[in-house]
């Protein structure tokens, strides 16, 4: 399995692997999983024929606006901050021991 990309100069197609496609999408900030950028058949069915209650529509909005990704990154960042604070507190707790060892 692979993907075929059209060459920009019109000279044909070239086969690339999924990793290369992922790097291209990341480089050009293309969110292929964003339902507004690429509306897959599954998302279209959910949106057009599903029971569009407020929760479902809000989840669709979160995905389309990339707020879902931002929220996840925000949670990861908060976790990293908490870990960093704990590391600083642990290092500060050891500081008197190191100061004492340095003066003797």
């Amino acid at each position: 399995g692979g993907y075929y990309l059209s060459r920009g100069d019109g000279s044909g197609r070239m086969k690339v692997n999924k990793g290369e496609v992922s790097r291209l999408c990341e480089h050009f900030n293309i969110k292929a999983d964003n339902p507004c950028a690429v509306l897959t058949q599954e998302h279209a069915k959910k949106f057009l024929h599903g029971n569009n209650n407020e929760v479902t529509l809000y989840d669709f909005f979160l995905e389309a606006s990339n707020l879902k990704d931002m929220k996840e990154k925000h949670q990861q960042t908060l976790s990293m901050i908490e870990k960093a604070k704990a590391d600083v507190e642990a290092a500060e707790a050891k500081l008197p021991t190191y100061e004492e060892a340095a003066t003797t």
Side-chain angles (χ1 to χ4, degrees):
Y3 299 94
Y4 288 96
L5 295 178
S6 177
R7 295 180 189 265
D9 60 4
S11 64
R13 302 182 306 170
M14 60 184 198
K15 186 172 182 177
V16 294
N17 63 29
K18 186 174 182 176
E20 290 176 89
V21 173
S22 296
R23 283 191 293 278
L24 283 170
C25 288
E26 186 176 324
H27 177 76
F28 291 108
N29 199 21
I30 297 170
K31 304 289 185 200
D33 57 347
N34 181 335
C36 284
V38 178
L39 187 60
T40 63
Q41 189 172 8
E42 179 183 333
H43 274 103
K45 283 180 186 177
K46 284 182 188 177
F47 185 69
L48 297 173
H49 302 294
N51 57 354
N52 289 327
N53 60 28
E54 290 180 7
V55 174
T56 305
L57 292 175
Y58 186 68
D59 288 341
F60 184 84
F61 166 75
L62 287 177
E63 279 189 60
S65 62
N66 288 330
L67 288 175
K68 183 178 178 182
D69 291 340
M70 290 174 142
K71 184 176 181 180
E72 290 172 3
K73 287 180 184 179
H74 182 257
Q75 291 298 329
Q76 290 173 351
T77 302
L78 289 177
S79 297
M80 290 170 58
I81 289 171
E82 289 302 316
K83 184 184 178 321
K85 284 180 181 178
D87 291 347
V88 167
E89 288 175 7
E92 286 177 343
K94 294 178 185 177
L95 192 58
T97 306
Y98 294 137
E99 288 174 345
E100 185 179 311
T103 58
T104 57

